[in-house]
Amino acid sequence: MAFRVAAAAASVLALSTLVLGGCSLQRDLPRALTDAQLEAAVRAQLDRQWRLSDLQGVVVRPAFEPRPIVTEREWGRLMTECMDRAGIPQWGYDDGTGLFVEGGTPSASDQLAFYWCFAEYPTVDLLTRDQLDFVYDYYARWLIPCLETRGFNVQNAPTREAFATAHPPMGRWNPYRALEDLPSDPHALRQLQRDCPPTLLGIPGWSEFAYR
């Protein structure tokens, strides 16, 4: 089964060019991950989560057929619904240590339930390093200046390396989430997004983002 994002992919553009006050971004869009690379990324995520669960040698590791990859925006809702069905409503996820539950250490049954949900709704970084560099350049050279010329202060921009090495499902930094005063009026926010697009078309896994 081929791995696909469970959301409509954006149309691919051969070349992206934006100009703002003499600052331009012009380069070919980098290639996306192949199906084989996506499959390998999902398996690596599951291997990592199994290690974090400390279930090795405690229970037999479940085997799963490949599932469609879900986006970062979908992952939290789907995992919450899955954990609710497992009877574990109070939980959280730390990218470094994995599952945690309110009031104590997760039991083996908690960890197994989380692993089942994690495998049912896999999410991986859909972006290659070339794509991440493209996104970073778009933010640094166009989007942040666009927002700042409109009076918005973008906070805590990461280094290129820190931006590229963030791990889903915790999400990745973007300028809209870092604004001190995001417009509360929906019309004003939509106008700002039209003036300063959060993304460009052509990079599935990033192009679908729209701040709401």
Side-chain angles (χ1 to χ4, degrees), residues 13-20 23-29 134 138 141-142 197 200-201:
L13 300 181
L15 183 68
S16 293
T17 304
L18 287 171
V19 179
L20 177 71
C23 181
S24 66
L25 174 70
Q26 181 173 7
R27 57 178 287 194
D28 291 334
L29 289 174
F134 179 94
Y138 175 72
R141 296 171 55 188
W142 198 86
L200 300 176
L201 293 178

Side-chain angles (χ1 to χ4, degrees), residues 33-146:
L33 293 172
T34 65
D35 284 347
Q37 289 172 318
L38 287 173
E39 181 175 353
V42 168
R43 297 195 183 283
Q45 279 279 59
L46 290 176
D47 289 346
R48 182 173 184 272
Q49 181 53 41
W50 186 251
R51 290 193 299 271
L52 290 174
S53 73
D54 289 328
L55 291 176
Q56 183 66 35
V58 178
V59 298
V60 176
R61 181 176 175 178
F64 295 96
E65 291 298 319
R67 298 288 197 275
I69 294 170
V70 301
T71 64
E72 173 197 329
R73 279 173 53 186
E74 296 173 300
W75 188 82
R77 174 182 60 81
L78 292 171
M79 286 293 291
T80 296
E81 293 173 355
C82 186
M83 293 293 279
D84 282 346
R85 291 194 296 270
I88 311 170
Q90 301 298 323
W91 64 278
Y93 181 81
D94 182 272
D95 190 57
T97 59
L99 174 69
F100 61 88
V101 294
E102 187 172 306
T105 303
S107 66
S109 61
D110 292 339
Q111 292 283 12
L112 186 59
F114 183 77
Y115 183 73
W116 273 94
C117 292
F118 203 91
E120 184 72 20
Y121 302 109
T123 186
V124 298
D125 198 339
L126 297 172
L127 307 183
T128 66
R129 182 56 193 253
D130 284 346
Q131 288 176 320
L132 288 168
D133 284 339
F134 179 94
V135 172
Y136 190 88
D137 287 339
Y138 175 72
Y139 288 164
R141 296 171 55 188
W142 198 86
L143 181 53
I144 291 175
C146 182

